[in-house]
Amino acid sequence: MEFIDHLALGFGIALSPETLMYCFIGVTLGTFIGVLPGIGPLATIGLLLPVTFHLPPTEAIIMIAGLYYGAMYGGSTTAILLNLPGTAASVVVALDGHPMAQQGRAGPALVMTTLVSFAAACVAIVIIALFAPPLAQFALRFGSPEYFSLMLAGLLGAAVLVNGSLIKGIAMVILGLLLGMVGQDVTSGIPRFTFGSMSLYDGMGFVVVIIGLFGLAEVLNNVALGEKRERFVGKVPWRDLVPTRKDLRDSAGATARGTGLGSLLGLLPGAGPAMSTFAAYAVEKKVAKDPSRFGKGAIEGIAAPEAANNAAAQTSFIPTLSLGVPGDATMALILGAMMMHGLVPGPQIVTSSPDFFWALIASFWIGNLLLLILNLPLVGIWIKMLSIPYRIMFPAIVTFISIGMYSLHLEIFDVFLAAGFGLVGYLFIKLRCEAAPLLLGLILGPMVEENLRRSMLISRGDFSIFFTRPISLSFLILAVFIIAIVLGPGLYRRWKARAA
Amino acid sequence: MSTNDQHIDPTLDLYSGAIFTAIGLGAMITARNYPLGSIDRMGPGFFPMVLGAIIATLGIMLIVKNLEGFRQARRRKHAAAPDPEVDSSRRVGMLRAARSMLFVLGGMTFFALTIEHIGLLLSVIGLVIICSFAETGMKWRSTLLLALFMAALSAAIFRYGIGLPLQLWGN
């Protein structure tokens, strides 16, 4: 079995003391920051990204992956305890997790999320090891039209998942693409949208944009809310931490279904973890004998979405790594981080840097194992984190943002740019415009343009090139399909209401 | 999900639409400075021009879609008797938002302007103190403690941990 050799190679590297340490630091810091209300995985990774720039590439990416898992787990903790979901993915976990916390069963809920995540990770790693290399092989045949259509599907997928109107979602994606145009045009060398500033010549640093839009904007919003912020005042007794035998029995089936669904949906570009949690929750409600328990603290309502979330989070590395097309905003961030380290994601990465690729995959599993080991004793500390007054927390966050942005290139301009995007992000929050799709556009922007230009060059300006090449056509069909899944039920209901 | 958009205030969507339209038009005007090229040989102005046009169109769609809802909301507001309590709580909210922006962004500006002159420690201390004014009821004692702690922590992480060439005390 070839894939066992590959995994052995990966584990060999990932288990070396130094790599293991960075994975550990990543997972711990990720949880630590991710627990803070209003700081989602995006802001967490963005906040700590400057630190990883000074590490060798493999260690850096492994630490970032650790941050990602840690931050997602931390986010679930906040969602369960405070009913403050930081991401679309943890919205669903809060549905039954928060009622459980209110019933004094926060301990089992939190422990279940770790157990279930680990179970899903065990399955997902096998799927990645089995499917990423063949997919990369397949992707070697992609030309510019295929890439363009694939990215179009991914961008539409991101726009569709937005909470609110689809028009706004698409507009945010396009705005991201437009921001991606800032800087010197690769083909002609002409600087675009730089407004005479030399600092914008290399484009807008995506870390700066992320920190502004997701980190600083949240701080501004929370400070402005003042007393209206939610606070956690409850306690989680230690002896109540362990899930009961009944909890475990009840969630076994849900975990399996969630893992399967998540692994599958994670492969779709643009769908990723968010869509899979919604789908998994819906499935559990359908198969349950007594659907009325859901929303009132049903353990299946935590197990299935959390398993789906984790499985999808991992399998979404498959398109990110082997196609170079990220599934969601967080993946886009990781992709951007890889590029900053000189690792170009895409079909070649599996063959050209196998040690990096397999070490990263092995570290997913190790990261989840570390989360499991860490969290059983540390749940209490994470909960303590939530009771730190915001008055102390936000100046600390702003300090890290400022130094972090300055440390990127020792440029004062980056601090001002982050402040500006903080203001813009605050405006977006007030206008209910979700910023996550913008990020995907920002990172994919230059690639989308380049592939569009090349496709038009090949076809001499004939748009049918996207429809006549079978792989490209299937991506376009996928794009239509993604929109249909999301818009379909609503339209169908409206159509039925009109017919009646 | 995108289907349950009934709850969002049409006023907000209308404003978003106006902003998108402005950004789109702005992008199109700026993109006119770059060569457009042709469809088979796109110049640097082509893609930004198309994107600008799409955003502007989406913005106009948002405006048109929410205009009626916006009018109704305004009419309701005018018809209802002015409620001084709602008005004053709105004003408090806006003041608080302005205060939050002024001091948080002010603190960052202070940091950016001083980091290369007075060194990391003093710059961070100033940043933390200014930021703390963003919330009402700031207490000097805990703020100063936090400022000293953050200064020491940032020096430990960024200067000694990562080894960034930051001056601790300036020159």
Side-chain angles (χ1 to χ4, degrees), chain A residues 52 60 73-74 92 123 139 190 203 219 258 321 332 345 392 403 405 413 452 479:
Chain A
T52 67
Y73 177 76
V92 179
V123 178
I190 294 176
V219 170
L321 291 172
I392 305 276
I403 306 181
M405 294 306 99
F413 180 79
L452 175 66

Side-chain angles (χ1 to χ4, degrees), chain A residues 395-396 399, chain B residues 123-133 143 146-147 150-151:
Chain A
T399 306
Chain B
S123 198
V124 166
I125 290 175
L127 164 67
V128 172
I129 293 176
I130 297 174
C131 263
S132 300
F133 278 102
T143 301
L146 180 67
M150 286 312 297

Side-chain angles (χ1 to χ4, degrees), chain B residues 24-47:
Chain B
L25 292 178
M28 289 172 79
I29 292 169
T30 318
R32 277 184 30 212
N33 300 325
Y34 318 127
L36 259 181
S38 59
I39 184 93
D40 55 339
R41 282 186 190 282
M42 294 182 187
F46 194 95
F47 199 50

Side-chain angles (χ1 to χ4, degrees), chain A residues 92-97 100 105 108-109 112-113 116 243-244 246-259 276-309:
Chain A
V92 179
V93 176
L95 289 179
D96 276 283
M100 272 184 81
R105 294 186 11 88
M112 255 349 263
T113 57
V116 162
T244 61
K246 185 173 173 305
D247 287 340
L248 292 175
R249 207 171 41 232
D250 284 347
S251 40
T255 308
R257 284 185 290 270
T259 306
S276 69
T277 48
F278 284 105
Y281 192 77
V283 167
E284 281 320 301
K285 249 177 132 170
K286 277 261 152 59
V287 299
K289 282 191 200 107
D290 177 17
S292 69
R293 287 190 307 121
F294 282 82
K296 293 175 194 147
I299 194 118
E300 301 95 309
I302 300 177
E306 195 68 8
N309 184 14

Side-chain angles (χ1 to χ4, degrees), chain A residues 38-386:
Chain A
I39 308 275
L42 273 173
T44 307
I45 301 174
L47 207 58
L48 295 165
L49 213 48
V51 180
T52 67
F53 287 158
H54 306 273
L55 300 176
T58 307
E59 276 83 353
I61 302 298
I62 285 177
M63 181 170 156
I64 293 171
L67 285 173
Y68 177 41
Y69 295 126
M72 286 213 308
Y73 177 76
S76 303
T77 307
T78 325
I80 289 172
L81 293 178
L82 288 184
N83 201 16
L84 273 184
T87 54
S90 53
V91 167
V92 179
V93 176
L95 289 179
D96 276 283
H98 190 58
M100 272 184 81
Q102 285 172 325
Q103 290 155 19
R105 294 186 11 88
L110 291 173
V111 172
M112 255 349 263
T113 57
T114 349
L115 282 175
V116 162
S117 299
F118 182 68
C122 293
V123 178
I125 187 178
V126 178
I127 295 177
I128 299 181
L130 280 178
F131 289 105
L135 188 65
Q137 280 294 321
F138 177 62
L140 283 173
R141 286 190 282 163
F142 287 11
S144 292
E146 282 77 21
Y147 271 113
F148 179 79
S149 303
L150 175 62
M151 287 186 230
L152 200 67
L155 290 171
L156 272 175
V160 146
L161 277 178
V162 159
N163 204 340
S165 96
L166 180 63
I167 303 180
K168 268 161 118 182
I170 297 179
M172 291 300 272
V173 165
I174 309 265
L175 189 58
L177 289 174
L178 201 55
L179 286 175
M181 300 294 103
V182 175
Q184 204 172 17
D185 173 39
V186 196
T187 323
S188 64
I190 294 176
R192 292 185 288 184
F193 300 103
T194 53
F195 306 104
S197 155
M198 276 309 282
S199 307
L200 286 173
Y201 234 69
D202 292 327
M204 245 175 302
F206 67 96
V207 184
V208 180
V209 179
I210 289 163
I211 280 300
L213 289 182
F214 297 92
L216 196 56
E218 278 300 334
V219 170
L220 289 173
N221 190 37
N222 277 324
V223 175
L225 282 179
E227 306 305 308
K228 276 181 264 174
R229 285 190 300 266
E230 284 218 36
R231 286 192 59 188
F232 178 70
V233 279
K235 282 205 174 69
V236 181
W238 283 94
R239 60 190 157 74
D240 294 343
L241 218 54
V242 189
T244 61
R245 201 170 285 263
K246 185 173 173 305
D247 287 340
L248 292 175
R249 207 171 41 232
D250 284 347
S251 40
T255 308
R257 284 185 290 270
T259 306
L261 200 62
S263 307
L264 206 67
L265 286 176
L267 294 172
L268 296 180
M275 195 187 262
S276 69
T277 48
F278 284 105
Y281 192 77
V283 167
E284 281 320 301
K285 249 177 132 170
K286 277 261 152 59
V287 299
K289 282 191 200 107
D290 177 17
S292 69
R293 287 190 307 121
F294 282 82
K296 293 175 194 147
I299 194 118
E300 301 95 309
I302 300 177
E306 195 68 8
N309 184 14
N310 222 271
Q314 292 196 46
T315 54
S316 65
F317 270 100
I318 298 180
T320 306
L321 291 172
S322 53
L323 304 179
V325 175
D328 64 2
T330 321
M331 282 295 132
L333 173 58
I334 292 174
L335 191 89
M338 286 174 69
M339 293 196 284
M340 291 185 93
H341 278 287
L343 294 159
V344 182
Q348 297 86 359
I349 200 148
V350 188
T351 45
S352 66
S353 2
D355 26 337
F356 161 75
F357 182 81
W358 294 104
L360 178 60
I361 286 173
S363 79
F364 296 164
W365 189 81
I366 297 172
N368 273 288
L369 182 65
L370 285 177
L371 263 182
L372 185 67
I373 300 170
L374 265 178
N375 279 309
L376 291 177
L378 291 186
V379 163
I381 294 183
W382 306 141
I383 293 168
K384 272 259 157 56
M385 289 281 303
L386 288 175

Side-chain angles (χ1 to χ4, degrees), chain A residues 54 160 164 168 174 185 188 192-193 220 224 229 394 403 406-407 412 423 426 449 453 456-457 461 463 486, chain B residues 2-3 13 34 39-40 42-44 47 55 96-97 100-101 105 108 112 116 128 131 135 154 162 164 166:
Chain A
H54 306 273
V160 146
K168 268 161 118 182
I174 309 265
D185 173 39
S188 64
R192 292 185 288 184
F193 300 103
L220 289 173
R229 285 190 300 266
F394 83 84
I403 306 181
Y406 178 68
S407 76
I412 290 175
L423 211 55
Y426 180 61
E449 184 186 21
R453 274 179 172 182
M456 288 298 99
L457 205 61
F463 276 99
V486 177
Chain B
S2 334
T3 40
D13 276 5
Y34 318 127
I39 184 93
D40 55 339
M42 294 182 187
F47 199 50
I55 297 194
R96 195 172 265 153
S100 134
M101 275 179 269
L105 301 181
M108 289 181 75
E116 287 174 357
V128 172
C131 263
E135 287 238 306
S154 4
I162 309 178
L164 283 176
L166 295 172

Side-chain angles (χ1 to χ4, degrees), chain B residues 13-26:
Chain B
D13 276 5
L14 187 92
Y15 291 158
S16 315
I19 292 174
F20 286 134
T21 313
I23 293 174
L25 292 178

